[in-house]
Amino acid sequence: MPTITVLPHESLAPQGARFEAEPGKSLCQQLLDHGIDIEHACGMVAACTTCHVVVKDGFGRLPASSDEEDDMLDKAWGLTATSRLSCQVDPVATDLTIELPKYTINHARE
Ligand code: FES
């Protein structure tokens, strides 16, 4: 089973995290299931950017993002070339290493 590695984040995952990917669940849902309280303001329908993550390893092995996801991502704080909306990522097919951005468009996480 592929592994999801979350790099340490000051408030959401101070020690980082590592867990096995679960089929049928978005990356956002799996983060929540493992106690990482990532924001998901729109209810995981690609209509906000609060679930933004940066994929540090595995980006190229993920299915491509949709136009809808790309349009929303353009509004994300701290957008990078390997950014994704975690609610739109089904990570079961590959190992991933992700970083949680320090901020979201909703509010600062300091
Ligand atoms: Fe809103 Fe993912 S939760 S885009």
Side-chain angles (χ1 to χ4, degrees), residues 3-5 27 31 41 54-55 65 71 81 84 100 104 107:
T3 299
I4 298 171
T5 302
L27 176 57
L31 291 169
V54 177
V55 182
S65 53
D71 287 348
R84 293 294 302 263
L100 305 168
T104 71
H107 64 265

Side-chain angles (χ1 to χ4, degrees), residues 43-101:
M44 304 187 199
V45 295
C48 72
T49 61
T50 59
C51 69
H52 170 211
V53 299
V54 177
V55 182
K56 295 300 218 182
D57 184 58
F59 181 83
R61 299 188 297 272
L62 289 172
S65 53
S66 65
D67 289 346
E68 186 182 28
E69 180 182 349
D70 288 342
D71 287 348
M72 283 312 301
L73 267 173
D74 282 343
K75 301 174 185 157
W77 184 92
L79 180 68
T80 76
T82 60
S83 288
R84 293 294 302 263
L85 296 178
S86 63
C87 72
Q88 301 301 302
V89 174
D90 177 352
V92 295
T94 184
D95 290 343
L96 287 180
T97 299
I98 62 166
E99 181 177 69
L100 305 168

